[in-house]
Amino acid sequence: RVLDEDEFPPLFDSQIYSLAVREDARVGNDVIQLSANDPDLTSNLTFSIVDGDRERVFALNPMTAVQSLAKPLDRESIAAYLLVVVVTDLTNASASASALVNVTVLDVNDNSPQFNETSLYISILPDRAVGSQVTQVIATDKDEGSNGHVIYSVLFQ
C-alpha cells in the first residue's frame, strides 16, 4: 500500500490579482474569488490576509477564498490597497504560498464642492467699470476627474 506524503506546497493560480471596486460598493459584497491548488492528494487549504489591510476593510473566507467588503470604501481616504494573502495547507502547516491582491478604489461623485471662504462680503464703488472683476471665489471638490469638476453660477435674489 502506497500513501501520499504531503510534500508539495499549495500554489495560487495567479501571483497577482488585480481588481477595481467602486467606492459605493455595499458592505458584504463579494469582490473576488481567489484560487489555489495543492498537488498532494490530501490537503486542507486555508486562506488569510496577512498584510495591507490594517483597517480590516476586506474579509477573506478562510475556506472558500472569497474576498468580500467588510467596511465601506472611501477613495478620498484610500485610493488603492495592496493586500498580501496566504494559502496554507493545514495538513502540513509549513506548506504555504502567498499572492498579491491589488484593489483600486473607483471614484463616485459623493462629495460636494467646498468654497475656500465660508462667507464673502465685497463693496463695489459706483464708478467701477461694467464687466470689471470685483472678486474671485475658489471651490474645490475631493472627487476625482469629471466627478471633481466645479461649475459656478451666480444667483440673484
Side-chain angles (χ1 to χ4, degrees), residues 2-157:
V2 177
L3 297 175
D4 181 46
E5 184 176 317
D6 198 351
E7 57 190 316
F8 298 107
L11 296 172
F12 278 99
D13 290 353
S14 178
Q15 288 301 115
I16 300 174
Y17 294 87
S18 295
L19 64 140
V21 181
R22 288 174 48 100
E23 72 175 312
D24 62 352
R26 291 180 16 188
V27 170
N29 280 7
D30 294 344
V31 294
I32 192 169
Q33 166 81 58
L34 305 177
S35 181
N37 294 295
D38 187 333
D40 292 311
L41 291 177
T42 58
S43 63
N44 184 7
L45 302 182
T46 184
F47 298 83
S48 60
I49 299 172
V50 296
D51 197 17
D53 190 20
R54 191 175 329 153
E55 302 296 321
R56 299 185 187 268
V57 173
F58 299 96
L60 182 59
N61 184 304
M63 297 302 145
T64 65
V66 172
Q67 184 176 324
S68 60
L69 197 56
K71 291 183 179 176
L73 295 170
D74 182 23
R75 191 217 49 91
E76 290 74 29
S77 297
I78 301 177
Y81 295 85
L82 185 59
L83 310 175
V84 178
V85 295
V86 170
V87 59
T88 303
D89 182 353
L90 294 179
T91 59
N92 179 0
S94 64
S96 65
S98 63
L100 298 175
V101 179
N102 184 5
V103 182
T104 301
V105 181
L106 300 176
D107 188 46
V108 297
N109 195 2
D110 61 341
N111 290 287
S112 298
Q114 301 293 316
F115 281 101
N116 292 357
E117 302 287 333
T118 55
S119 60
L120 180 67
Y121 298 97
I122 58 171
S123 297
I124 302 172
L125 297 174
D127 62 344
R128 187 75 184 229
V130 172
S132 62
Q133 180 175 333
V134 294
T135 192
Q136 181 176 359
V137 295
I138 298 174
T140 55
D141 189 318
K142 292 180 182 180
D143 288 313
E144 185 175 56
S146 62
N147 290 337
H149 289 173
V150 178
I151 299 172
Y152 299 89
S153 60
V154 178
L155 303 176
F156 297 97
Q157 294 183 355

